[in-house]
Amino acid sequence: MSQPLLSSRTQLSLTLITLLVVAPHFTRLDLRVSLAFIAVILLRVATLYLPRLQIGRWLLLAITLVGLALILSLYPLLMGLPAKVALLSLMLGLKLLECRRGRDLYVVIFLGYFSLITHFLFDQTMLTVAYILVMVVALSGLLVEAAHSRSRSGWPTASLRTAASMGLQAIPVMLVLFFLFPRIDGPLWNLGVDNSTGQTGLSDNITLGSISQLIRSRAVVFRVEFDQQVPAPPQRYWRGPVLWRTDGRRWNQARLNDTDAVRYRSSAAPVSYRVTLEPSPNNWLYALDLPDSLPLGAELTADFQITAKNIRQRRYRYAATSRLQYQTGPLSEQQRHLGLQLPGSVTPRMRALVNRWRAESANNRQLVNRALQFFRNEPFYYTLNPPPLDGNPIDQFLFDSRRGFCEHYATSFTLLMRLAGIPARVVTGYQGGELNPLGDYLIVRQSDAHAWSEVWLEQSGWTRIDPTAAVAPERIERSFEFDLQENSAPGFPVIFSAGDNALLNRLAKQFRLGLDAANASWHRWILGYSSEQQQHLLQLLGFGALSAFKLALTMMLAIAALVPLLILLLRWRGRGRVDPVQRDYATFCRRLARRGLRRLPHEGPQDFARRVIRKRPDLQRPVSAIVNLYISLRYGSADDPRQRRRLHQLVRSFRA
C-alpha cells in the first residue's frame, strides 16, 4: 500500500529546515557547491508552489549526475573533510527534490541528523552546539508531526514542544554517557580526522612581511590564567621559536647540540600560570620569557624553547612557571658560531654604520644602546603595510624605505649586532594580550604575534632587546589594538587605538568578552574533559581507577538502572492527565448514564449512539452531532483547537 502524499506545509518546513541544517557549511565549502545547493533548494520551493514544474525521474537523474560531476571536478579524489561534506550536502539537497511521501521524509530527516554531526568536525564552540540543538528539535518536531495519522493546520508548536520534551528527557542518559564513556586521549570531537581545523599561526621561520600578515587575524592562540597578579604589558613576552640561520631574506631554526646545558640564574619570584593552547600544527608551547618549570612531558631546548610531543591539532592545557628577570650562563662554541653567522648580503654601508657605532662605544652594551638610538632617532616608521623590498631587503629597509613591522626591526637589528661581533638571534612569539575581566584571564591572539632580538652580553648572557619598542613604544606598553581598515594605507605609520568610548562599541566589546569567557569555560570543562579528569572524578566518587572495559560496563549498568526510573517518573507525572476530547466524551456518557443510558464496556461510540437514539429518538440530533465530532477528533482529520472547543460547547449544552 502506497503511503499518503506529504502536505505542502510539511514539505516546505522540511525544505527550510534542511537549508538551515546545511547553512553553516557554506563558509567551509567551495562557493560553487554552496550555490548549487541553494539552487536546488530554490527549485524545490518552486515545485511546491508550481506543481507543473515537478521534476521527473530522468531529469532528476541528470541533475544528480551534474552535481556529482561538480563535486568530482572540485575534489577529484574526494579526499579531506570538505570533499565528503560537500558530497553529503549536495546529495541531501537532491534527495529533497523527490521527497513526496513519508518514507522520503524519514530519509531526509536522518540525513539531516548526520549532516548536523559533521559540523562538530569543524567547530565545537558553544554557539555551534546551541544551533545544532535547535536544529535537532526542529527535525525531531517534523518526525513527531509526520507520526500523526492526520494532517493538522496551524503552527506545529505541539510537535516542537513534544520534540523538545523528548530531548529534555534524554538529558540524564546523556550525562551518564558524557561522564562514563571511556575517554580518548584528546578533546571530545578531535578524532584526528582532519588536520586543517587548527590555526597555522607562527611557523618555524620568518621572512619580511610574514608576521605583518599574521596579525590581521583575531583568532585566539591561547588563553592564560595567572595564579597571581597579571604581569604588566611590557613584561608579557611569550617565547616561541628561536631563529639562528639566515640567508639575508629568511630566518630559520637551528638544531643545537644536546650537550648544551640549559643554564641561567634568577633571583626573581617565579610567575606561575596555566595556558590553554588552541589547536595548531606545531609542536612547541609558549611560555613567558624565560620559562622555568615545564609541563609534564615537555622539553626545554638549549635556546629556551619548549617543545612537546602529541600536542599537534588538539587543544592542550598545561601549567608552567617563568622568571621575568634572569641571567643566562656562558656561551657555547656552537651558539657563538651560529650567533655570529652572516649572510652574503652585507653591504658596505651596513659595515660603515656598525663601524661608526663601534668607534663611538666603549663596550658592547653601549653599542647596543647606540643601535637602539639609531632606530629611535632616525625616521623609521612602524606600519602594517611595509613597501615591498627587492634585492637586498635588509639594506633597503635600513637606508631607503625605513618602513616596516616587527620582523623588519628584529631581523635587521640582529644582523647589525652580528656584524658588530655580538652574538645575536631572533625570537618569535607573542607580546601582550587582552585581559578579560569577566573570566580573569588573558587572551592572546594572532594579532599579538611579535618578533624581537636577543644579544649575548658578557655581564648578563642572552638579553632580550626589542627594537620595535624604540620605534613604536605604544606597541609594547599597552594592548595592541588597531583598526585594520584605518591602517590599510601602504607605508603609513600604525594608528594605535586609544580605546573607544562610544556606548555601543563598549557594549559590543563586553558582549565579545562575555562570549569568550563562556567559550573558554566550555572548552575547559566540556571539550577538555579528558581521561585524566574522568579518572579523578571517579576517585572522588569512591570508584577508584577503572579500566576502559570496567568504565563501559559501569556506563551500561547506570543506563540500565536509569531508564526504568525515567519510565516510572514519566508515568507518575502523567497520571490523572486525560485528553480534553476524552474528558468531554466521558462527561457526555455520564449525563446519559444518569438517565439510565449507561454505555457498555464493549460498546463503541457509534454503537452506543445508535442504542441511545433507538431509546430516545428526541436526542438524535445532539447525540449524532457529539458522537460524529468525537470520532472525527479522535480518529479522523478534524483535530484542531477550534473543533475541540466546539465539542466542549456541544457537551456543555447537552441535556438528556
Side-chain angles (χ1 to χ4, degrees):
M1 187 177 71
S2 63
Q3 295 179 320
L5 291 172
L6 296 172
S7 67
S8 297
R9 191 192 68 162
T10 301
Q11 293 188 59
L12 182 61
S13 301
L14 179 66
T15 303
L16 295 179
I17 292 172
T18 302
L19 173 64
L20 294 175
V21 164
V22 177
H25 280 316
F26 288 166
T27 58
R28 303 160 188 147
L29 301 179
D30 187 282
L31 178 62
R32 285 162 286 186
V33 176
S34 301
L35 291 176
F37 179 83
I38 293 173
V40 169
I41 294 294
L42 292 176
L43 180 59
R44 176 58 176 163
V45 174
T47 59
L48 292 177
Y49 287 98
L50 301 171
R52 67 176 182 277
L53 296 179
Q54 203 68 246
I55 296 175
R57 181 177 301 175
W58 292 107
L59 181 56
L60 180 60
L61 176 62
I63 295 175
T64 303
L65 291 177
V66 170
L68 189 60
L70 173 65
I71 297 295
L72 291 177
S73 66
L74 296 174
Y75 313 99
L77 299 178
L78 290 179
M79 297 291 289
L81 273 180
K84 298 176 178 63
V85 170
L87 181 63
L88 173 65
S89 301
L90 200 52
M91 293 302 113
L92 173 60
L94 291 171
K95 181 63 184 172
L96 272 177
L97 292 178
E98 64 171 8
C99 182
R100 297 184 181 87
R101 301 183 184 277
R103 181 186 57 191
D104 301 322
L105 179 134
Y106 296 140
V107 173
V108 172
I109 287 179
F110 283 104
L111 281 176
Y113 284 135
F114 190 75
S115 184
L116 285 176
I117 294 174
T118 62
H119 291 298
F120 287 126
L121 299 174
F122 297 92
D123 188 0
Q124 303 98 41
T125 60
M126 200 167 53
L127 284 179
T128 298
V129 173
Y131 183 82
I132 288 175
L133 285 178
V134 171
M135 289 297 102
V136 166
V137 170
L139 286 173
S140 303
L142 275 180
L143 272 181
V144 174
E145 190 75 4
H148 289 287
S149 60
R150 49 188 179 271
S151 61
R152 298 189 291 186
S153 59
W155 290 94
T157 52
S159 298
L160 290 173
R161 196 164 49 244
T162 301
S165 174
M166 292 166 63
L168 291 175
Q169 291 163 18
I171 286 179
V173 177
M174 180 194 71
L175 292 176
V176 171
L177 290 172
F178 176 78
F179 285 111
L180 296 181
F181 190 88
R183 313 300 295 183
I184 58 175
D185 187 18
L188 183 61
W189 287 99
N190 190 350
L191 304 178
V193 178
D194 183 47
N195 289 331
S196 63
T197 52
Q199 296 290 334
T200 301
L202 286 175
S203 70
D204 57 0
N205 66 78
I206 62 169
T207 56
L208 296 186
S210 57
I211 293 184
S212 57
Q213 291 298 317
L214 184 61
I215 61 115
R216 297 166 191 274
S217 168
R218 295 287 293 169
V220 175
V221 184
F222 55 87
R223 297 176 177 86
V224 191
E225 303 161 54
F226 287 90
D227 293 340
Q228 58 282 307
Q229 188 174 7
V230 179
Q235 295 179 308
R236 298 180 204 154
Y237 281 85
W238 300 95
R239 193 181 186 89
V242 181
L243 311 179
W244 296 84
R245 301 184 187 277
T246 180
D247 60 0
R249 304 184 70 87
R250 180 183 298 273
W251 288 74
N252 298 288
Q253 290 182 298
R255 178 180 290 276
L256 300 180
N257 295 333
D258 294 336
T259 53
D260 286 344
V262 179
R263 291 175 294 227
Y264 74 92
R265 61 178 183 272
S266 172
S267 58
V271 177
S272 56
Y273 49 90
R274 291 174 300 283
V275 178
T276 303
L277 183 67
E278 292 295 306
S280 83
N282 306 315
N283 69 337
W284 56 75
L285 304 177
Y286 296 96
L288 276 178
D289 197 19
L290 208 57
D292 187 19
S293 68
L294 309 179
L296 188 65
E299 295 180 351
L300 189 64
T301 63
D303 49 8
F304 304 104
Q305 182 184 340
I306 305 177
T307 61
K309 297 177 181 177
N310 302 322
I311 63 170
R312 286 188 170 98
Q313 304 298 354
R314 53 177 291 203
R315 187 168 287 101
Y316 187 69
R317 183 173 171 83
Y318 58 94
T321 61
S322 297
R323 307 270 184 171
L324 304 187
Q325 288 89 38
Y326 50 86
Q327 187 174 29
T328 65
L331 196 63
S332 70
E333 281 304 314
Q334 185 197 21
Q335 291 196 25
R336 181 181 297 279
H337 173 73
L338 288 170
L340 292 175
Q341 179 248 330
L342 288 171
S345 56
V346 175
T347 60
R349 54 181 178 176
M350 291 168 65
R351 290 188 184 279
L353 177 67
V354 172
N355 289 338
R356 188 171 74 244
W357 292 347
R358 175 60 72 187
E360 296 170 354
S361 307
N363 51 46
N364 287 344
R365 170 65 75 177
Q366 288 187 8
L367 190 145
V368 170
N369 292 334
R370 183 67 186 84
L372 289 175
Q373 186 181 17
F374 168 75
F375 282 105
R376 187 179 300 113
N377 295 339
E378 295 295 321
F380 283 95
Y381 298 100
Y382 184 68
T383 175
L384 295 181
N385 292 287
L389 301 173
D390 301 322
N392 192 329
I394 297 293
D395 182 270
Q396 288 183 37
F397 166 68
L398 285 172
F399 301 105
D400 298 328
S401 71
R402 295 191 166 181
R403 284 166 166 77
F405 202 62
C406 60
E407 68 265 35
H408 292 73
Y409 295 99
T411 55
S412 60
F413 180 88
T414 301
L415 190 59
L416 292 174
M417 292 300 99
R418 290 184 176 187
L419 199 54
I422 302 175
R425 59 195 184 190
V426 174
V427 182
T428 59
Y430 296 88
Q431 202 285 325
E434 181 182 22
L435 187 63
N436 187 343
L438 300 178
D440 197 22
Y441 61 88
L442 198 69
I443 307 170
V444 178
R445 306 176 188 277
Q446 298 290 4
S447 55
D448 296 312
H450 194 52
W452 59 93
S453 179
E454 282 185 342
V455 298
W456 191 87
L457 300 174
E458 190 69 36
Q459 301 81 6
S460 55
W462 285 111
T463 304
R464 182 177 65 234
I465 304 294
D466 191 350
T468 302
V471 179
E474 304 96 326
R475 166 66 183 88
I476 309 301
E477 292 171 357
R478 62 183 189 219
S479 295
F480 188 28
E481 295 185 2
F482 59 90
D483 187 319
L484 193 59
Q485 189 173 6
E486 191 178 36
N487 288 279
S488 60
F492 273 68
V494 171
I495 302 173
F496 292 91
S497 172
D500 202 327
N501 293 323
L503 176 61
L504 194 60
N505 290 340
R506 280 191 283 115
L507 290 176
K509 182 177 180 179
Q510 288 297 313
F511 175 77
R512 177 172 54 81
L513 292 177
L515 190 61
D516 189 86
N519 265 324
S521 299
W522 171 261
H523 288 306
R524 180 178 178 184
W525 299 111
I526 304 299
L527 298 181
Y529 182 60
S530 63
S531 57
E532 182 182 352
Q533 290 171 311
Q534 187 180 49
Q535 293 296 335
H536 181 65
L537 176 65
L538 290 172
Q539 289 178 353
L540 288 178
L541 295 175
F543 289 96
L546 295 179
S547 64
F549 174 75
K550 290 182 178 177
L551 260 178
L553 187 62
T554 305
M555 178 187 70
M556 288 188 286
L557 290 174
I559 293 176
L562 189 60
V563 170
L565 288 177
L566 287 174
I567 293 174
L568 289 175
L569 178 63
L570 291 174
R571 293 188 63 176
W572 178 77
R573 289 193 60 192
R575 75 189 197 287
R577 293 185 181 178
V578 181
D579 184 354
V581 175
Q582 283 186 300
R583 186 174 57 231
D584 287 335
Y585 183 66
T587 302
F588 167 70
C589 293
R590 280 197 305 273
R591 291 184 177 179
L592 286 172
R594 284 199 290 267
R595 295 293 182 264
L597 297 170
R598 187 178 301 277
R599 186 175 71 87
L600 302 177
H602 63 274
E603 214 168 21
Q606 287 183 330
D607 292 340
F608 181 46
R610 281 194 286 269
R611 184 162 64 85
V612 170
I613 293 172
R614 278 198 306 272
K615 293 186 176 182
R616 293 284 305 273
D618 58 307
L619 297 180
Q620 178 179 2
R621 187 172 181 179
V623 168
S624 297
I626 290 174
V627 171
N628 289 337
L629 184 55
Y630 169 73
I631 292 173
S632 180
L633 285 169
R634 288 288 293 168
Y635 312 107
S637 59
D639 188 12
D640 63 56
R642 189 171 58 83
Q643 295 297 336
R644 287 173 176 244
R645 286 195 296 273
R646 180 165 172 260
L647 175 68
H648 185 68
Q649 290 168 355
L650 288 174
V651 172
R652 284 188 61 185
S653 60
F654 177 72
R655 295 290 182 269

